[in-house]
Amino acid sequence: MTTAGVLEALPIVAARLVAERNRPHENGYPADPEMLNDWIAAHTGHRIPSKAVCPNHDAPLDFVWGFFSHEMTDGLVLANRQGGKTFDIAALHLANARFKPGFETSHIGAIQHQAKRCYVYYKAGLRHPDLRSQAPDPHIGETVWLNGSRIEILPGTEAQTQGGHPHMTTFDELEQAKGRQPYENAKGMSKEWTDASGNRTSGQFLVTSTRTSCLGMMQRALDEATENGTPI
């Protein structure tokens, strides 16, 4: 095709992409942040805040949608205690498993208690009638869905972060991590994801935490993110 032919085809291709983006997805696949939030609210009873309330801050739904849509591959979420971070991640895990057959997730809680908290939220979502039969035998170690999706929820130890290679790795409450090595291990766990249409995206790594010290793990991660351009 000549250069002129390519230029002529561009508007047609763009129109097709817009139409694909806007048409209703099969099986209720959320096509935008609000649709995703509606699905989360219907299956968990809670909506994720979608409006930022402080200047230069982002709303929690921004990162949840960014990772669900694969617009983001890496990111750090800094938030206050009791800010709903762990619930937001659990809701993201539910949506990924429901709508992405074969999607694999490793969720790491910096300490065992933090890992269990995510599992409590995740299992509560699985009680919804639409989801109960799709993941009939949930376990904190591993929950496998009938569509081939799976999630493992792990404590943030060096041994537990040297294992598998999921499509998404999340590290919750980094500030409480016992040493740096589990975090470094987790960075390299995720592998590329190919969806049902053959679209390929990089593996994802998400960190969430409060910050209690200017010398703590989260501050060090934030400093590194600023240097390498990782979204915060």
Side-chain angles (χ1 to χ4, degrees), residues 87-102:
F87 169 81
D88 296 343
I89 300 173
L92 171 62
H93 294 333
L94 279 171
N96 278 336
R98 165 62 180 84
F99 293 108
K100 302 173 185 177

Side-chain angles (χ1 to χ4, degrees), residues 90-190:
L92 171 62
H93 294 333
L94 279 171
N96 278 336
R98 165 62 180 84
F99 293 108
K100 302 173 185 177
F103 195 82
E104 299 179 358
T105 300
S106 289
H107 176 88
I108 300 164
I111 56 177
Q112 182 73 36
H113 175 72
Q114 199 67 32
K116 288 181 178 178
R117 183 174 297 169
C118 180
Y119 178 69
V120 168
Y121 291 134
Y122 189 83
K123 190 174 181 180
L126 290 178
R127 297 192 187 104
H128 190 279
D130 289 349
L131 303 181
R132 187 180 302 133
S133 62
Q134 298 188 46
D137 190 27
H139 293 280
I140 189 169
E142 181 180 62
T143 297
V144 179
W145 289 57
L146 297 182
N147 67 2
S149 297
R150 58 180 291 273
I151 181 172
E152 57 180 3
I153 297 179
L154 309 168
T157 66
E158 187 170 346
Q160 293 284 8
T161 54
Q162 290 179 339
H165 295 284
H167 302 110
M168 181 177 193
T169 304
T170 53
F171 202 117
D172 190 22
E173 208 54 62
L174 176 63
E175 188 78 344
Q176 298 181 25
K178 305 299 184 183
R180 186 175 177 85
Q181 194 58 49
Y183 171 59
E184 292 295 332
N185 292 346
K187 285 182 181 179
M189 288 175 64
S190 298

Side-chain angles (χ1 to χ4, degrees), residues 70 100-103 167 191-196 199-203:
H70 292 267
K100 302 173 185 177
F103 195 82
H167 302 110
K191 65 182 179 182
E192 183 180 76
W193 162 246
T194 303
D195 66 19
N199 301 311
R200 300 165 64 181
T201 57
S202 300

